[in-house]
Amino acid sequence: MSEPRPPFPPFTRETAAQKVQAAEDAWNTRDPHRVALAYSEDSVWRNRDTFLTGRAAIVDFLTAKWAREHEYALRKDLWAFDGNRIAVRFQYESRDADGRWWRSYGNELWEFDERGLMTRREASINDVPIEEKERRLNGPRPAAERGLSFPLA
């Protein structure tokens, strides 16, 4: 049995924002095992065109992702919430093995169980090539920027 992951649904604006920031913080560690602990053992994912079920598959997916995406830095923004569901928009930047920089834009739909574990994650993501000088995400979000939104483009 997995450890509970507060805050728990039903979410308020404050607790939904806490959940979003906790996810951003965890993903910015680029530690697949740590990130996977936020998901139920039987969590179901759609990530772009990839469909996964279970924590072990999530760890494998994230391990491969971060082997490809160097200097990964992510920002998430609460979009909406209701009951046990949260919708977020996000952007992340990374460099590929050839040294090209990318900004990835996306939306996620999350569903949680009563223990605060994510049971469902659906992510739609688009990648845009950028020049290194266009980067605006450098590592985890500084404390002074927590709770602030980020530009669309």
Side-chain angles (χ1 to χ4, degrees), residues 81-121:
F81 66 95
D82 185 46
N84 69 334
R85 293 181 173 163
I86 296 175
V88 300
R89 71 182 189 103
F90 65 88
Q91 294 177 22
Y92 69 85
E93 294 175 354
S94 63
R95 178 182 49 79
D96 65 22
D98 295 324
R100 290 178 301 228
W101 284 94
W102 299 88
R103 183 173 301 126
S104 300
Y105 297 88
N107 301 296
E108 293 176 319
L109 304 174
W110 300 344
E111 188 172 70
F112 296 87
D113 66 16
E114 66 283 349
R115 296 171 299 150
L117 296 169
M118 194 181 303
T119 58
R120 184 173 177 172
R121 174 185 175 265

Side-chain angles (χ1 to χ4, degrees):
M1 189 72 132
S2 299
E3 290 293 319
R5 301 293 280 209
F8 306 111
F11 297 111
T12 63
R13 176 163 298 285
E14 179 182 356
T15 61
Q18 290 171 0
K19 203 65 140 172
V20 172
Q21 188 62 58
E24 178 185 304
D25 292 345
W27 279 65
N28 275 321
T29 69
R30 298 183 303 273
D31 179 342
H33 297 281
R34 176 180 171 188
V35 172
L37 292 175
Y39 301 92
S40 66
E41 293 287 346
D42 59 351
S43 188
V44 176
W45 277 29
R46 181 186 59 78
N47 193 90
R48 302 174 193 251
D49 61 349
T50 301
F51 295 82
L52 309 169
T53 301
R55 219 184 251 161
I58 292 167
V59 169
D60 291 345
F61 175 86
L62 293 174
T63 299
K65 170 187 177 60
W66 290 319
R68 291 186 314 272
E69 296 176 348
H70 307 281
E71 299 183 60
Y72 175 94
L74 167 72
R75 300 294 184 270
K76 291 185 181 282
D77 195 16
L78 175 63
W79 191 255
F81 66 95
D82 185 46
N84 69 334
R85 293 181 173 163
I86 296 175
V88 300
R89 71 182 189 103
F90 65 88
Q91 294 177 22
Y92 69 85
E93 294 175 354
S94 63
R95 178 182 49 79
D96 65 22
D98 295 324
R100 290 178 301 228
W101 284 94
W102 299 88
R103 183 173 301 126
S104 300
Y105 297 88
N107 301 296
E108 293 176 319
L109 304 174
W110 300 344
E111 188 172 70
F112 296 87
D113 66 16
E114 66 283 349
R115 296 171 299 150
L117 296 169
M118 194 181 303
T119 58
R120 184 173 177 172
R121 174 185 175 265
E122 297 186 29
S124 298
I125 307 166
N126 300 298
D127 303 311
V128 177
I130 61 172
E131 297 295 322
E132 185 171 9
K133 65 184 179 198
E134 295 175 286
R135 290 185 64 212
R136 59 178 178 238
L137 306 179
N138 295 293
R141 186 187 301 242
E145 293 179 14
R146 288 185 180 256
L148 299 179
S149 194
F150 44 83
L152 179 61

